[in-house]
Amino acid sequence: MTALTHNLWALFAEHLVVERGVARNTVLAYQQDFNQLQQFLQAAPLNEANLQRYLAFLTAQGLSPRSQARKLSMLRQLCRLLVQRQHLAVDPTAT
């Protein structure tokens, strides 16, 4: 398990821009999503139980389904990359 750090954001942002070619506005939106997740987790590990708590938190905040879907997309992409780069052993979004 890993805690989210600035270094992991930099790795993810580089992946988004260089390897995926996403638009600047998407990177900025994902950065806000990443920061929100980081603030929610604090030092807790990025695992399935904590992600379920985070998704419940988003629902309780009254976020629109579209905003929740974007945040979930960011989570899936982030976790997939972290597994590929061996920062996570298991993708908590894969279940």
Side-chain angles (χ1 to χ4, degrees):
M1 305 304 157
T2 190
L4 297 179
T5 65
H6 176 74
N7 290 341
L8 291 181
W9 166 252
L11 174 74
F12 186 49
E14 180 181 0
H15 168 76
L16 292 171
V17 172
V18 175
E19 296 177 31
R20 307 251 358 257
V22 301
R24 182 177 188 275
N25 287 342
T26 300
V27 174
L28 293 174
Y30 279 12
Q31 183 174 24
Q32 290 176 343
D33 296 342
F34 181 93
N35 290 341
Q36 181 185 35
L37 176 63
Q38 182 181 40
Q39 184 176 14
F40 178 84
L41 291 175
Q42 297 182 9
L46 185 60
N47 60 30
E48 185 178 353
N50 287 331
L51 288 184
Q52 287 177 352
R53 287 183 34 245
Y54 178 65
L55 295 175
F57 166 78
L58 295 177
T59 300
Q61 296 297 307
L63 272 128
S64 71
R66 184 176 180 168
S67 292
Q68 288 185 38
R70 187 194 72 233
K71 291 174 187 295
L72 186 55
S73 175
M74 184 279 299
L75 278 169
R76 286 183 177 136
Q77 292 177 60
L78 173 64
C79 290
R80 200 172 314 131
L81 177 68
L82 294 179
V83 168
Q84 289 173 354
R85 302 289 172 90
Q86 300 179 346
H87 292 280
L88 281 176
V90 176
D91 183 347
T93 66
T95 58

